[in-house]
Amino acid sequence: VQLQASGGGQVQAGASLRLSCAASGRAFSSYAIGWFHQAPGKEREFVGGISWNGARLYYSDSVKDRFIISRDNIKNMVYMQMNNLKPEDTGVYFCATYQGLGNLRAGLREGDFGSFGQGTLVTVSS
């Protein structure tokens, strides 16, 4: 599976953006998908994810109640609706396939995921 994130942009604080993650490959629907945020000068941080069938969702405390993740397995797409954006949300966002054990949860790291594609840049100004 190959993934490509898109939909980033430059917005003011309080605005919304919807990121898309497009997948190629027939096995896409069997993977849980995670979203990572890489702030300038920092490591990638797992901020949320969705199970293979959309039944389970995980959000980090930093984005909970502001971001909403969804997927469309027919279109091979995963989305992340980002609301009430804050300057600290600035960075590059990546989607990736979950290749670890157990449900999506806090503490997952890059090594638990694969198929990181090119990310998309989000810049939030105050």
Side-chain angles (χ1 to χ4, degrees):
V1 177
Q2 291 184 318
L3 303 178
Q4 176 71 50
S6 63
Q10 188 169 357
V11 297
Q12 297 279 339
S16 298
L17 282 173
R18 188 175 83 152
L19 303 187
S20 297
C21 174
S24 60
R26 290 180 293 177
F28 166 76
S29 61
S30 65
Y31 285 101
I33 300 295
W35 283 97
F36 282 76
H37 170 223
Q38 186 168 24
K42 296 190 176 181
E43 294 184 351
R44 288 176 184 168
E45 175 192 9
F46 175 53
V47 295
I50 187 167
S51 62
W52 68 273
N53 62 355
R56 291 192 177 91
L57 296 160
Y58 167 79
Y59 300 99
S60 68
D61 287 342
S62 62
V63 307
K64 193 173 184 179
D65 298 327
R66 297 189 300 124
F67 291 9
I68 302 170
I69 299 172
S70 61
R71 70 187 295 161
D72 184 336
N73 284 343
I74 295 176
K75 296 181 178 179
N76 276 11
M77 297 290 293
V78 174
Y79 306 99
M80 184 161 72
Q81 177 68 37
M82 309 167 74
N83 300 317
N84 190 22
L85 283 160
K86 303 176 180 180
E88 51 263 42
D89 295 322
T90 293
V92 181
Y93 286 80
F94 301 85
C95 53
T97 55
Y98 178 51
Q99 299 181 354
L101 298 176
N103 294 328
L104 295 170
R105 60 194 182 275
L108 293 177
R109 304 173 67 89
E110 277 191 64
D112 297 307
F113 293 80
S115 302
F116 283 91
Q118 186 174 349
T120 187
L121 177 63
V122 173
T123 304
V124 185
S125 56
S126 58

